[in-house]
Amino acid sequence: MPKRQAPEISLRKQPKQARSADLVTVILDAAVQVLEAEGAQRFTTARVADRAGVSVGSLYQYFPNKAAILFRLQLEEWQQTTDMLRAILKDPSIPPMSRLRNLVHAFIRSECEEAAVRGALSDAAPLYRDAPETQAARARGQEIYRVFIAEILPGFGEERRETVQEIVTASLSELGRRFSEQSRTDREIRDYSDALADMLVAYLESLNSF
């Protein structure tokens, strides 16, 4: 049986003029609105074009299909997360465990504020999950975690640090996703973030005590 060809996910052409860049921004903003209103299952290029107030032909000048739009939104979300990781975890003026606490609070709040779009993008992940661009984007975030874990566990071997990193990142990702599935108050977000931060800090400090 022939292998199913993956959809094209790169921009058809790069916007070089301000007018073209503005059009791409309008299309992406409309895509977010369609995702929030319709979800990934009902997400189509026609709905995005209609919401953006442009023709489908104009949309196709830049995005060959809906997978390309969704992937562009996912890349932007990953870049925002990576920038947040870098700004928090690489700040040498703050003690490592305080950095981790700050990260947990920022991450959980971000998950809650963008739950609708992130949930829809997660549903659409099979469209671009195996793309090289996807692997590269994820690797950048994981590298920041790797350096942070190496800083707080300098006496551990690489294999053991990788296990610790997986536990920390999986806990953040999965627990954040579950918590954000319901609408939350500011107080609930703070309390949950405090509890999750306490758990992760206690875990990492216990490793250093042996």
Side-chain angles (χ1 to χ4, degrees):
M1 182 177 178
K3 185 178 181 180
R4 185 178 179 182
Q5 186 174 5
E8 182 182 355
I9 59 173
S10 299
L11 282 179
R12 183 158 277 167
K13 67 176 182 179
Q14 295 292 334
K16 297 181 179 179
Q17 299 179 347
R19 183 178 177 182
S20 298
D22 289 344
L23 176 58
V24 169
T25 298
V26 167
I27 291 171
L28 292 174
D29 288 343
V32 170
Q33 295 172 31
V34 172
L35 272 181
E36 291 177 335
E38 306 286 349
Q41 299 305 315
R42 290 175 53 82
F43 184 91
T44 65
T45 54
R47 285 192 172 93
V48 173
D50 181 64
R51 184 65 66 95
V54 302
S55 68
V56 174
S58 294
L59 183 151
Y60 282 147
Q61 288 183 44
Y62 299 96
F63 299 97
N65 48 50
K66 71 175 185 179
I69 301 175
L70 291 167
F71 182 65
R72 177 65 177 267
L73 292 177
Q74 182 67 87
L75 272 183
E76 291 187 354
E77 192 276 326
W78 280 331
Q79 185 59 54
Q80 291 172 2
T81 300
T82 300
D83 290 344
M84 178 179 69
L85 285 173
R86 184 179 295 109
I88 295 174
L89 293 184
K90 289 193 171 185
D91 186 350
S93 67
I94 298 176
M97 293 306 175
S98 295
R99 278 181 256 159
L100 179 59
R101 288 185 179 278
N102 292 342
L103 173 65
V104 172
H105 277 266
F107 182 83
I108 296 300
R109 182 164 295 279
S110 176
E111 286 287 292
C112 291
E113 291 175 347
E114 302 173 14
V117 172
R118 286 185 174 178
L121 289 175
S122 178
D123 291 340
L127 293 171
Y128 47 75
R129 179 172 48 210
D130 298 326
E133 298 97 327
T134 299
Q135 304 304 321
R138 288 175 172 168
R140 286 192 288 272
Q142 289 299 316
E143 175 62 15
I144 296 172
Y145 277 117
R146 187 193 68 77
V147 172
F148 177 71
I149 296 297
E151 177 186 354
I152 60 178
L153 300 174
F156 282 40
E158 183 176 350
E159 184 175 350
R160 193 173 182 193
R161 286 201 301 263
E162 287 178 357
T163 300
V164 173
Q165 177 179 333
E166 182 178 354
I167 291 171
V168 171
T169 56
S171 297
L172 269 174
S173 178
E174 183 61 19
L175 294 175
R177 180 190 64 79
R178 291 186 183 184
F179 181 73
S180 64
E181 287 176 348
Q182 299 179 30
S183 178
R184 303 291 183 175
T185 66
D186 283 345
R187 177 62 179 273
E188 287 175 325
I189 293 173
R190 287 196 303 271
D191 289 348
Y192 189 84
S193 298
D194 279 337
L196 180 55
D198 286 345
M199 181 187 76
L200 292 177
V201 168
Y203 167 61
L204 292 173
E205 288 181 340
S206 71
L207 295 175
N208 269 326
S209 66
F210 290 103

